[in-house]
Every structure is written in C-alpha cells, then in structure tokens.
Amino acid sequence: DIQMTQSPSSMSASLGDRVTITCQASQDIGNNLIWFQQKPGKSPRPMIYYATNLANGVPSRFSGSRSGSDYSLTISSLESEDMADYHCLQYKQYPYTFGAGTKLELK
Amino acid sequence: QVQLQQSGTELVKPASSVKISCKASGYTFTSNYMHWIRQQPGNGLEWIGWIYPGNGNTKYNQKFDGKATLTADKSSSTAYMQLSSLTSEDSAVYFCARGSGYNPFAYWGQGTLVTVSS
C-alpha cells in the first residue's frame, strides 16, 4: 500500500499567517492527490484535487503544490473559518490511502 | 443539485450485521462510482471501496474484504453497505462519496454513525 506521511500532525497559527501542510507519498502517485478540510461533526470537504486544482467554491487563499513526492497545501493568509482538520488522499493506486491528518488551531 | 442522503445512527450488538444506505439525487446514479469511507473515533479516514451502480462492479480495500459488502439499487438510486461480524473496532462514522470530473470525491454524504455495543 502507498503510505501518505502527513505533517505536522497538529499546529497552531495566528490569523493572517501563511500555513503549509505537507504529505509525502511512499511511491509515485503522479498528481492523483486530494486535500480535504473537515470540521467537527461534518463530512470532509474537498479543497484541492489533482494536487493543484482548486475545488468549486474554495477561496483563492488555498493552493496546492507538488515537489517530487511531497505535496503541499498552503493557506496564504489564515482566517478563523480555516480552523479545521486537513487530510490528504492519494487515488493513484488501490487501496486509496489517506494521510493521518493535521489539526489546525488558532494560536 | 447533487445530494447524498445517508441513513441514520445505528446502535448494534457485537457479532451482528448492519446495512446502511446512501440515497443519491440530482444526477444520474448509474454513471458515477460510489465510494465508502470509514472514520473511527479520533482517527483518520480509510477508504473501504467503491461500487459502480451501472453494472454492480465493486472494488474493495483488502482490509475490508469479508467485512463490507457494497450493493446498489438502481430503481431507488440508493447505494448500500453491509457490515458483518461487527466488533467494537467497527464503531465509526461511515461516509459515502461520489466523484465529478477529475475529482473522484467531490460530493459526500453527511455520514452514518455506527456504534457496536452490547
């Protein structure tokens, strides 16, 4: 199975900060990666698909990038509504696998 | 608009089975894969498998072979997942999700909480 190593597991940041979360894939996944945001008691919401594409309705402060086997989700200027858990998912190879998640909190 | 409406909370006994549903609306049910995902309390997400309602084909995460069975009823646009031989480890929230274009997990149901307890 492809392992998705997500870091950090948790972080605290201030409003207006630039925040970056990373997933490292254990094998080549091409750009077959999605970033999700999940708030307590809610379903995951896709934010970025195919590594770099903004999903419908997602604010432009969110972006996705890739460097080799490292995939990053960046929030350019943190807003209070961005406090949530974030997950990455690879859908290149079965079984599809998620990262362990990042809890983003307000400092 | 696309909607995936899942069935309600289940409280079930160990060693029993449960069948949860995901009713689709707002799109052609038979033309998109339906995925199922598990989220155990305090844990991350796990992909269980998919079903293609158009022909009933399925693909499972080997971890869930023998645990989960995916079916679909085209007449009611409803996907089902049966979980068998339940243990406390199966207590989780289960989600259905379908894709759109290049995003295979674009739309999600609201989740179904399954609690296994005697």
Side-chain angles (χ1 to χ4, degrees):
Chain A
D1 297 2
I2 295 177
Q3 307 303 315
M4 301 299 297
T5 303
Q6 187 170 344
S7 61
S9 57
S10 66
M11 66 179 299
S12 59
S14 301
L15 297 180
D17 281 355
R18 181 181 182 87
V19 168
T20 297
I21 298 166
T22 299
C23 274
Q24 182 177 68
S26 64
Q27 299 175 39
D28 176 51
I29 61 168
N31 279 352
N32 296 287
L33 181 122
I34 300 174
W35 287 101
F36 296 96
Q37 177 192 71
Q38 187 179 26
K39 296 185 177 179
K42 299 294 187 182
S43 308
R45 172 192 179 191
M47 306 299 280
I48 302 287
Y49 66 95
Y50 206 59
T52 62
N53 294 272
L54 207 62
N56 286 345
V58 174
S60 59
R61 63 182 179 273
F62 288 87
S63 64
S65 62
R66 173 191 176 185
S67 175
S69 61
D70 292 335
Y71 298 79
S72 297
L73 172 72
T74 297
I75 308 170
S76 60
S77 181
L78 196 65
E79 298 195 7
S80 56
E81 66 187 37
D82 301 335
M83 302 310 149
D85 293 337
Y86 291 85
H87 310 270
C88 64
L89 164 72
Q90 70 80 18
Y91 57 99
K92 172 68 173 178
Q93 183 183 109
Y94 296 121
Y96 296 164
T97 45
F98 289 85
T102 295
K103 178 176 285 295
L104 178 57
E105 297 174 312
L106 195 57
K107 188 182 289 183
Chain B
Q1 72 282 21
V2 174
Q3 285 195 326
L4 300 176
Q5 183 65 38
Q6 295 187 230
S7 50
T9 297
E10 299 273 4
L11 174 59
V12 293
K13 295 195 183 310
S16 68
S17 297
V18 68
K19 192 172 187 178
I20 61 180
S21 65
C22 172
K23 183 170 175 58
S25 60
Y27 72 99
T28 304
F29 178 65
T30 51
S31 299
N32 290 89
Y33 293 88
M34 187 71 78
H35 298 270
W36 290 88
I37 299 97
R38 178 173 86 172
Q39 187 167 37
Q40 292 172 310
N43 283 7
L45 297 154
E46 293 178 282
W47 177 76
I48 296 170
W50 57 249
I51 183 166
Y52 189 74
N55 57 17
N57 284 356
T58 55
K59 179 71 175 179
Y60 293 94
N61 182 337
Q62 201 168 4
K63 177 177 181 176
F64 293 91
D65 269 343
K67 170 62 66 178
T69 303
L70 305 182
T71 57
D73 177 6
K74 289 189 277 190
S75 67
S76 63
S77 297
T78 302
Y80 297 93
M81 178 172 66
Q82 179 159 325
L83 300 168
S84 60
S85 304
L86 292 165
T87 72
S88 58
E89 283 291 301
D90 299 311
S91 294
V93 177
Y94 293 86
F95 296 99
C96 59
R98 61 141 282 203
S100 176
Y102 289 100
N103 182 355
F105 292 85
Y107 300 98
W108 290 64
Q110 81 277 22
T112 296
L113 174 63
V114 174
T115 301
V116 182
S117 175
S118 54

